[in-house]
Amino acid sequence: MTQPVLICRPGARGDALASLLRSGGAEVEALDVMALEALPEDSATRSVWLNIDQYDKIVVISPFAAECLSEALDRYWPQLPVGIDYYSVGSATASILFDQLGVRVRIPPAASLKASAESERGENTSEALLTLASLKNVSHQRILLVAGEGGRTLLADTLAERGAMVTRLAVYRRVFSPPSAAMQARLRAGDYRALIVTSGELLEHLAKWCDQAALNQPLIVSSHRLATLAGTLGFSDLKVASGATPAALAATLERSCNPKGADVDQGTSLRASDR
């Protein structure tokens, strides 16, 4: 029996990843350990939406944040205010903003909305976004970060250090749950072909059920930052994809977890001794 690839990306993005992996012949099982929930709108959030035209730039951290932003602007601004520059960490988020709001979105230099699986390079990260020239000199600019609860503070901290007046607005929360009994057994036994994780919080959550057998199995992550975290958690067979898109993750699975393609992986393969 073919061992499955385990994924833990929630919602439509998880469905897209699973579909692409299956089209390449992989067996896929979803861990279903995290859900995304929109936060109730309070007076502070409503005030931000009503005064959105006061911001020079809006940075959207994730696809679900983009959906929450799009829904709010559709309710409060039948005609979008002009003069705002939009940014996102990844192309999936940018695509949602373009499709739902019709706005052009600036993304890290290496990313491309029309990139194919063969041409995608680089990492969709906060670090990459901060290299954009238009985010270098932001003194006295008002910048809104639309994100989920928790998460990294690098963008907010760096933009504030560069002189911006930054507002970070949390529009959703991540709700974690234990893996099913069957999935816990798979993790204990390392009974899977590879595990794909694109979130540090998810990785730390899943590590609670990963015994040594799982720690020795291939782990595909979407950035070198996540690979570093995985190493501290005890994972030893790390594969770093060229980004968090389904195409980049699928390419790394195919080329680094397949004996025939191990030498031509688009991403990077690291053992514990290499870090």
Side-chain angles (χ1 to χ4, degrees), residues 215-272:
L215 296 176
N216 291 336
Q217 285 294 91
L219 171 67
I220 297 174
V221 295
S222 54
S223 71
H224 285 278
R225 178 183 61 84
L226 279 180
T228 298
L229 173 62
T232 67
L233 293 172
F235 292 92
S236 61
D237 190 1
L238 307 176
K239 319 291 184 183
V240 184
S242 60
T245 64
L249 297 167
T252 301
L253 174 70
E254 175 64 21
R255 302 186 186 194
S256 66
C257 298
N258 250 339
K260 293 181 181 179
D263 295 333
V264 290
D265 178 28
Q266 255 190 320
T268 303
S269 180
L270 303 173
R271 304 280 319 176

Side-chain angles (χ1 to χ4, degrees), residues 68-115:
C68 293
L69 172 66
S70 299
E71 191 275 334
L73 293 185
D74 185 60
R75 280 187 291 118
Y76 288 110
W77 292 88
Q79 183 172 344
L80 286 180
V82 298
I84 300 174
D85 294 325
Y86 293 83
Y87 296 79
S88 75
V89 171
S91 58
T93 303
S95 294
I96 291 172
L97 293 171
F98 180 76
D99 292 342
Q100 298 190 11
L101 297 177
V103 297
R104 298 291 179 178
V105 182
R106 303 183 189 194
I107 56 180
S112 169
L113 290 180
K114 296 182 180 180

